[in-house]
Amino acid sequence: MGKVLGIVGEYNPFHNGHLYHLEQAKKMTRSNYTVAIMSGNFTQRGSTSLIDKWSKAEAAIRNGIDLVLELPVLYATSSAENFADGAVKILDSLKVVDYIAFGAETSDIDLLDKFADVLYREPKPYKTLLSHELKKGISFPKARENALMMYLNDIRKYANVLSCPNNILGIEYIKALKKYKSNIMPISIARYETGYHDTLYSGNMASSTAIRNIVKNGGFDILRKLLPSSSYCILMENIKQGHIVPDLSVFEKEIIYNLRKMDVSEIAELPDIAEGLEFAIKNTANSCNNLVEFFQKIKSKRYTATRIQRILLYALLGITKKDRMLSKKTIPYLRVLGLNNRGKFLISEIAKANPKLEIVTSVKRFVDSNSNKNLKLMLEKDIWATDVYTIGYDYDSWNHLDFTKKIVTL
């Protein structure tokens, strides 16, 4: 059937940098088919997707992806480790994928593999160094970066590698491939011109962060230059319909309401809560009514802003530590969001290669027939995430879109 390329992305929204990455990945791997594992309506950094998951799937397919599968929200809103673990677990379960290509700040796959190998094996000297760094009261990502630098004993060579978010994700993808003993080959493609957090654009390239800021500030004219034409049209149609959700602040009243309603023991059951952080969150929620003030009061060197933001998202969506543990021991279903004719062929080949996989093309049919409690809970979280997401619309905030929206077919 030829080579199959796997890509993991948020496409928030699909821009020229994503198109460049996709074209380069296809060229490097000479793949015949491309499957994307895509996060849905909420993202890994604990925020919202600018447009809904079906609109993102359509943009991806119109720009060269053959099959779009949803990364369940229990993975999509998690740390880099769990995000990558869930995505690789799905790609590996397909039994037809030959490559996974990701964008990173470096194209040196051997360099990323060296970090991934240490994190996978966790040798005792490294764990000792990590424990020592954590006792300094710094955040886990910074402690891990310091420990790895000292363990590998070449600060000049490895400087700044772990401070770049896409490098970190790339390392986690490779680590997950090792964990599942996968035959999928990792391919790293250096990001073109703009960085993950860049708020400025260069030529016709801009990061997703920059594009979302442009949309929030109403600078729509420049978007024609920064997005493929089909992606631009899809985004503008959503803007016209009032169907964009710029960031988590749209739900700030709901989040603070939930935190005030929860007792401290319930907050302690949210993922990423540790070391008494639940008390600080409860006290902060009881003394402010917006997220800007919330972050100002709770920020510290031990907890990154992203970690706090994810915790707030868990409070909004009702995601618990128990849910997270369930996701770690479960092989997810394949939720099809969109496909073209090549994607239809790919689905049939996946079904042949792994007949045990649950392929969800109709949510209602799956809900009615499924007897797996873990998959049931996982899908319920996805459905609820969509129901919450549409509250952020200006108009036509329909409930239960997962039951009524059809697969994007092109």
Side-chain angles (χ1 to χ4, degrees):
M1 63 174 285
K3 298 294 184 182
V4 179
L5 169 66
I7 288 178
V8 183
E10 293 189 314
Y11 294 154
N12 186 29
F14 192 103
H15 55 63
N16 289 338
H18 293 132
L19 184 60
Y20 170 83
H21 169 263
L22 178 59
E23 290 173 344
Q24 289 298 307
K26 286 182 174 181
K27 187 185 298 184
M28 289 173 67
T29 62
R30 298 183 179 180
S31 295
N32 307 90
Y33 304 91
T34 307
V35 54
I37 310 299
M38 189 188 76
S39 58
N41 294 322
F42 294 92
T43 68
Q44 193 266 326
R45 296 190 64 78
S47 192
T48 61
S49 178
L50 185 62
I51 57 178
D52 70 85
K53 58 192 180 185
W54 293 280
S55 296
K56 292 196 298 180
E58 181 179 351
I61 292 168
R62 289 194 181 279
N63 284 283
I65 299 289
D66 298 314
L67 173 65
V68 179
L69 303 174
E70 181 177 4
L71 181 63
V73 71
L74 292 182
Y75 304 111
T77 59
S78 187
S79 65
E81 180 180 25
N82 291 325
F83 178 96
D85 190 88
V88 168
K89 187 159 50 174
I90 293 173
L91 282 177
D92 189 62
S93 73
L94 305 184
K95 304 301 180 190
V96 298
V97 177
D98 299 287
Y99 304 97
I100 176 173
F102 50 82
E105 286 79 8
T106 177
S107 60
D108 189 342
I109 201 75
D110 292 333
L111 179 64
L112 299 179
D113 184 79
K114 185 168 286 190
F115 283 110
D117 192 59
V118 176
L119 295 178
Y120 172 63
R121 292 187 298 107
E122 290 192 316
K124 190 173 180 179
Y126 161 72
K127 292 179 76 173
T128 301
L129 289 167
L130 177 60
S131 177
H132 180 266
E133 288 299 306
L134 286 169
K135 288 176 181 176
K136 294 179 179 179
I138 57 179
S139 69
F140 179 81
K142 188 61 182 174
R144 189 174 75 163
E145 178 182 353
N146 293 346
L148 280 166
M149 292 289 199
M150 288 185 282
Y151 178 79
L152 293 170
N153 198 27
D154 193 340
I155 294 176
R156 180 177 295 179
K157 181 176 180 180
Y158 303 123
N160 300 322
V161 174
L162 288 172
S163 61
C164 300
N166 288 287
N167 284 346
I168 293 170
L169 263 177
I171 290 165
E172 293 295 349
Y173 291 137
I174 298 171
K175 187 179 83 174
L177 291 173
K178 293 175 183 290
K179 174 182 174 181
Y180 295 109
K181 296 177 172 54
S182 176
N183 292 321
I184 298 173
M185 182 181 294
I187 305 290
S188 177
I189 298 171
R191 289 179 66 88
Y192 184 74
E193 291 194 19
T194 60
Y196 184 87
H197 294 299
D198 284 356
T199 55
L200 302 176
Y201 57 88
S202 174
N204 68 342
M205 290 287 182
S207 69
S208 296
T209 302
I211 291 169
R212 291 193 299 272
N213 285 340
I214 290 169
V215 171
K216 281 190 275 189
N217 295 325
F220 303 139
D221 289 345
I222 192 63
L223 293 177
R224 288 183 184 275
K225 184 179 176 182
L226 304 175
L227 304 173
S229 60
S230 57
S231 183
Y232 170 80
C233 291
I234 290 167
L235 175 58
M236 293 308 296
E237 183 61 25
N238 276 277
I239 291 171
K240 179 181 176 182
Q241 293 176 353
H243 288 183
I244 62 166
V245 185
D247 56 44
L248 200 61
S249 66
V250 172
F251 302 106
E252 63 184 1
K253 300 302 183 187
E254 290 87 349
I255 291 168
I256 292 171
Y257 166 80
N258 278 356
L259 290 172
R260 288 190 176 188
K261 187 175 68 170
M262 298 167 75
D263 60 38
V264 172
S265 64
E266 289 174 311
I267 295 174
E269 289 306 308
L270 298 174
D272 293 349
I273 293 282
E275 302 165 324
L277 180 57
E278 63 268 26
F279 294 100
I281 286 179
K282 182 65 175 175
N283 291 335
T284 305
N286 286 344
S287 62
C288 67
N289 67 359
N290 64 80
L291 294 190
V292 172
E293 187 181 358
F294 187 98
F295 281 112
Q296 287 174 344
K297 288 186 174 184
I298 206 162
K299 64 182 178 182
S300 74
K301 64 178 182 178
R302 180 175 285 276
Y303 304 111
T304 64
T306 300
R307 180 173 173 178
I308 297 298
Q309 192 155 299
R310 279 200 296 264
I311 290 170
L312 297 183
L313 183 54
Y314 301 145
L316 176 67
L317 299 180
I319 293 173
T320 67
K321 288 176 179 175
K322 185 178 178 182
D323 299 330
R324 173 64 46 74
M325 292 307 297
L326 176 147
S327 71
K328 288 184 175 183
K329 61 183 182 182
T330 303
I331 302 294
Y333 42 74
L334 303 186
R335 173 73 189 282
V336 181
L337 291 178
L339 74 177
N340 57 20
N341 287 334
R342 299 165 70 80
K344 290 178 182 177
F345 174 76
L346 203 50
I347 280 288
S348 67
E349 292 300 303
I350 291 167
K352 291 177 192 174
N354 191 350
K356 293 181 180 179
L357 273 181
E358 296 282 0
I359 301 176
V360 182
T361 55
S362 164
V363 170
K364 185 179 187 309
R365 188 161 59 242
F366 182 75
V367 168
D368 291 342
S369 63
N370 169 62
S371 59
N372 185 310
K373 291 181 180 179
N374 288 359
L375 296 183
K376 178 176 182 290
L377 183 140
M378 192 174 283
L379 186 60
E380 285 173 350
K381 295 295 180 181
D382 287 347
I383 294 167
W384 177 240
T386 303
D387 290 347
V388 172
Y389 180 81
T390 59
I391 295 172
Y393 287 177
D394 290 334
Y395 318 107
D396 301 325
S397 181
W398 293 102
N399 198 29
H400 274 27
L401 290 185
D402 282 285
F403 291 92
T404 58
K405 277 276 192 180
K406 294 181 179 179
I407 292 173
V408 176
T409 308
L410 299 175

